[in-house]
Amino acid sequence: MLFQQLNRSDAEMIFGIFKNVSGGAVTSGSVLQLDISTDADGNRVVKPATAGLACVVGLAAGSIADEDYGLVQIYGYHSSALIQRTDTTAPAGAQLIAANGQHYLVSTSAGPNFLLLESLAASTTTTTAKVHIRCM
């Protein structure tokens, strides 16, 4: 794990290094979960799926090519998480979870690993937003 050097001006952040085996490149802010297939080794990550939603590790800190290693943010402030918006508003403080089969987050009423840090207007498009990650 990589711990950001403490300072007064930046929020605390913690990162892990994982191998993307999701079958394609992922972009910064994409949600990733541990690979729970027969090849699972605790280091491989994939796109979230129903059977493994409890295995979400965090958000890609930058683009990660398929079959390559990259930083995944597992704790702290992230300024551009991918979020699927619905046709309702989402207030700051809303709880978010990984969406089945997607690299984005959706609203929930229980078990948050992610907290929305800004309000989102009603829309049906995927967007990026500020979140707090708690996947440790």
Side-chain angles (χ1 to χ4, degrees), residues 10-129:
D10 294 332
E12 293 178 336
M13 292 183 265
I14 302 173
F15 301 88
I17 299 173
F18 294 92
K19 183 177 183 179
N20 172 24
V21 294
S22 63
V26 297
T27 59
S28 179
S30 295
V31 181
L32 295 165
Q33 80 170 45
L34 288 173
D35 179 6
I36 58 171
S37 71
T38 56
D39 295 329
D41 61 6
N43 194 35
R44 298 161 49 99
V45 291
V46 296
K47 183 185 299 185
T50 300
L53 289 179
C55 300
V56 169
V57 294
L59 302 176
S63 296
I64 307 172
D66 189 37
E67 297 295 326
D68 202 1
Y69 290 88
L71 285 177
V72 176
Q73 188 174 349
I74 60 176
Y75 180 84
Y77 171 78
H78 191 91
S79 64
S80 59
L82 294 175
I83 298 175
Q84 175 63 44
R85 294 171 17 177
T86 59
D87 218 3
T88 58
T89 60
Q95 301 174 15
L96 305 169
I97 60 170
N100 177 40
Q102 304 297 327
H103 281 296
Y104 53 69
L105 299 168
V106 294
S107 295
T108 185
S109 59
N113 286 4
F114 305 90
L115 296 174
L116 185 61
L117 296 180
E118 61 183 304
S119 298
L120 296 178
S123 175
T124 56
T125 61
T126 302
T127 189
T128 60

